[in-house]
Amino acid sequence: MQIAVHSNQSDFSPRQNAVLDSALRLLVDGGEKALTTAGVARAANCSKESLYKWFGDRDGLLSAMIGFQASKVRTFEAHAGRLDAAKLHELLVTFAHDLLDVLAGDVSLALNRLAIGQASRDGSKLGHMLQERGRRQIGKRAGALLEAARRARLVRFDDADEAYGTLYGLIVSDLHLRMLLGEPISEKDRNFDRRAERAIDAFLRLYGTNENSAAS
Amino acid sequence: MQIAVHSNQSDFSPRQNAVLDSALRLLVDGGEKALTTAGVARAANCSKESLYKWFGDRDGLLSAMIGFQASKVRTFEAHAGRLDAAKLHELLVTFAHDLLDVLAGDVSLALNRLAIGQASRDGSKLGHMLQERGRRQIGKRAGALLEAARRARLVRFDDADEAYGTLYGLIVSDLHLRMLLGEPISEKDRNFDRRAERAIDAFLRLYGTNENSAAS
DNA sequence: CTCAATCAGTACCGTACGGTACGGTTCGTG
DNA sequence: CACGAACCGTACCGTACGGTACTGATTGAG
């Protein structure tokens, strides 16, 4: 794994970041219902008045939480060296594993639940933010990798977005939704190593140009 | 398409079903926030007292709404006749299209949002119900079809659940989540015919035994 | 007709939350 | 020290919601 590049520095003071951290913790533990302004103030040892001064209102706090969390998710540099089939396979598996780790994270699940819960009333502002700062970033990483693989004649596709969509579906399937619904996830589904391997094998069988890269 | 088999008769009187219909309408239009007991009573021309007598409390109403909606979703009989490659392809495409239609439905999206929003506090009772009555039913249909295809030597797989997971991922990818988040869906993504075709082609390339069934 | 049951409509209660105002404390600066 | 800004803790206000109680109208059985 490479080092974080886009530090995505958050727009808030350290004190405010600490408050946002407490708020995220509260959200993860108790869901949206537990995320009251009084609760955040108590958990963060700050006053409600400061909350409103810093974040405007409750929605501003929610937006700030998403922005803050996004600033902590590291985005990775595309591989720089020469790509061969084995290296591509390895990078794709790493990507798949990272993606699953992110989606399965406590905070990610809580924020997605929050944004989905508000999707009907706020014009999807939070959902849009989550998509833009979350999936889009990780999608750019995958897109760059796929594009490099295509230039190296290791994969073939017409539409990069469609190829990425297939890759995403093979990796995640309905696991993300099941986790969002709170379903208990079986041990087998929790085995991200195997899941990533299977998904990438299938993806390369579909899009790979070098058949031996798909050793079933 | 075949005719509904499991009528899944709802456990409520016609009057109560009408109330549940109003409640669903309210939920679809305004999200969970708009689904107040007073609002339901007003929309359905019934009294709050009756609501509480019939459904116990607000959670009971939510559960009843999910059960009521599930009772309206038709589940289909597995194909009875002899399967060949072309027929399998057709049935799979139909399945994919039906799945996408269900997931993209107003009521389905609203109920999924509701269950996800409550996943943190109610021990996923609603989410579990949704999974059990929704995905599980449609999954059984796909499972039966895949099993029949395997017996006919048209596809090969070890783990039926895994094969279904792959099929689901290829069909849906992250479209469901994007819809739940309220993202505007592009015209291309809304083209379920093409999407279903592509997914089934890919699935048969991965699992099919007869290579000519995958005419790219 | 009479009685009992059901239900719509409404008023009501307790509570919890978003948002605001205020007193007291800390801390940096001249 | 003196002053002021930032801020914590808390009290407060208006509102909205879940849930309950009451009243009057309708209906169906004996």
Side-chain angles (χ1 to χ4, degrees):
Chain A
M1 298 193 195
Q2 263 73 8
I3 264 316
V5 179
H6 296 161
S7 68
N8 256 350
Q9 206 59 289
S10 155
D11 306 337
F12 300 102
S13 75
R15 173 71 177 126
Q16 290 163 11
N17 284 343
V19 171
L20 293 175
D21 233 334
S22 297
L24 283 175
R25 177 60 176 259
L26 216 56
L27 178 67
V28 168
D29 290 344
E32 188 196 347
K33 180 82 186 240
L35 196 71
T36 67
T37 54
V40 172
R42 200 177 330 113
N45 287 325
C46 77
S47 70
K48 285 173 68 174
E49 197 174 22
S50 301
L51 286 183
Y52 284 96
K53 169 181 282 192
W54 293 333
F55 306 110
D57 57 5
R58 190 173 185 270
D59 282 353
L61 175 64
L62 301 185
S63 300
M65 287 166 64
I66 291 181
F68 173 65
Q69 175 64 14
S71 76
K72 292 203 302 190
V73 172
R74 292 197 281 231
T75 171
F76 297 84
E77 186 81 320
H79 181 65
R82 183 134 195 87
L83 267 186
D84 59 11
K87 188 69 181 169
L88 174 63
H89 187 279
E90 178 200 326
L91 287 174
L92 282 174
V93 168
T94 301
F95 168 77
H97 205 294
D98 287 354
L99 175 60
L100 289 168
D101 279 340
V102 168
L103 294 184
D106 282 353
V107 183
S108 164
L109 288 175
L111 282 178
N112 273 280
R113 290 198 185 105
L114 179 67
I116 288 173
Q118 305 240 326
S120 323
R121 54 183 167 224
D122 71 348
S124 342
K125 190 164 134 315
L126 292 184
H128 195 71
M129 222 172 143
L130 214 56
Q131 286 285 95
E132 205 58 34
R133 301 234 202 176
R135 180 189 183 269
R136 195 152 177 86
Q137 292 306 315
I138 211 166
K140 269 164 64 178
R141 173 182 165 198
L145 181 54
L146 290 181
E147 202 55 51
R150 186 167 70 145
R151 278 197 304 273
R153 302 267 194 276
L154 293 170
V155 297
R156 170 172 30 217
F157 52 78
D158 301 324
D159 184 335
D161 285 340
E162 205 165 276
Y164 176 55
T166 302
L167 177 61
Y168 188 100
L170 286 170
I171 295 171
V172 178
S173 186
D174 69 339
L175 180 63
H176 197 195
L177 185 72
R178 297 212 318 274
M179 292 190 298
L180 286 172
L181 282 169
E183 280 273 293
I185 303 299
S186 70
E187 207 48 53
K188 190 174 128 201
D189 283 337
R190 231 183 261 284
N191 186 346
F192 289 168
D193 288 319
R194 181 167 185 280
R195 192 181 186 93
E197 286 281 352
R198 304 277 302 196
I200 300 309
D201 285 351
F203 180 77
L204 289 177
R205 277 208 299 282
L206 286 174
Y207 288 91
T209 54
N210 192 357
E211 290 307 325
N212 65 10
S213 71
S216 69
Chain B
M1 296 196 197
Q2 264 76 8
I3 264 316
V5 179
H6 295 162
S7 69
N8 258 347
Q9 206 60 290
S10 155
D11 307 337
F12 300 102
S13 76
R15 172 72 176 126
Q16 289 163 10
N17 284 343
V19 170
L20 293 175
D21 231 336
S22 297
L24 282 176
R25 178 60 178 258
L26 217 55
L27 178 67
V28 168
D29 289 345
E32 188 197 347
K33 179 83 186 239
L35 195 71
T36 67
T37 54
V40 172
R42 198 177 331 113
N45 286 327
C46 77
S47 70
K48 286 173 67 174
E49 196 174 21
S50 301
L51 286 183
Y52 284 97
K53 169 182 283 191
W54 293 333
F55 307 110
D57 57 5
R58 189 172 185 270
D59 282 353
L61 176 63
L62 301 184
S63 300
M65 288 167 64
I66 290 181
F68 173 64
Q69 174 64 14
S71 77
K72 293 203 301 189
V73 172
R74 292 197 281 232
T75 170
F76 297 83
E77 187 82 317
H79 180 66
R82 184 133 194 89
L83 266 187
D84 59 11
K87 188 69 181 168
L88 174 63
H89 188 279
E90 178 201 326
L91 287 174
L92 283 174
V93 168
T94 301
F95 168 77
H97 206 293
D98 287 354
L99 176 59
L100 289 169
D101 280 340
V102 168
L103 294 185
D106 281 354
V107 183
S108 164
L109 286 177
L111 283 178
N112 272 280
R113 289 199 186 105
L114 179 66
I116 288 173
Q118 304 239 328
S120 324
R121 54 183 167 226
D122 70 348
S124 341
K125 190 163 135 314
L126 293 184
H128 195 71
M129 228 174 138
L130 214 57
Q131 285 286 94
E132 204 59 34
R133 302 235 204 174
R135 179 188 184 271
R136 195 153 178 86
Q137 293 305 317
I138 209 165
K140 268 164 64 180
R141 174 183 166 198
L145 180 54
L146 289 182
E147 201 57 51
R150 185 167 70 147
R151 276 196 306 273
R153 301 270 195 274
L154 293 170
V155 297
R156 170 173 29 217
F157 52 78
D158 300 325
D159 184 335
D161 285 340
E162 206 165 275
Y164 175 54
T166 302
L167 176 61
Y168 188 100
L170 285 171
I171 297 170
V172 179
S173 187
D174 69 339
L175 179 63
H176 196 196
L177 185 72
R178 298 212 319 272
M179 291 190 297
L180 287 171
L181 281 169
E183 280 272 294
I185 303 300
S186 70
E187 207 47 54
K188 190 174 126 199
D189 284 337
R190 231 184 261 282
N191 186 345
F192 290 169
D193 289 319
R194 181 166 184 278
R195 192 182 186 92
E197 286 282 352
R198 304 277 302 195
I200 300 309
D201 284 351
F203 180 77
L204 289 177
R205 277 208 300 283
L206 285 174
Y207 288 91
T209 54
N210 192 357
E211 290 309 323
N212 64 9
S213 70
S216 70

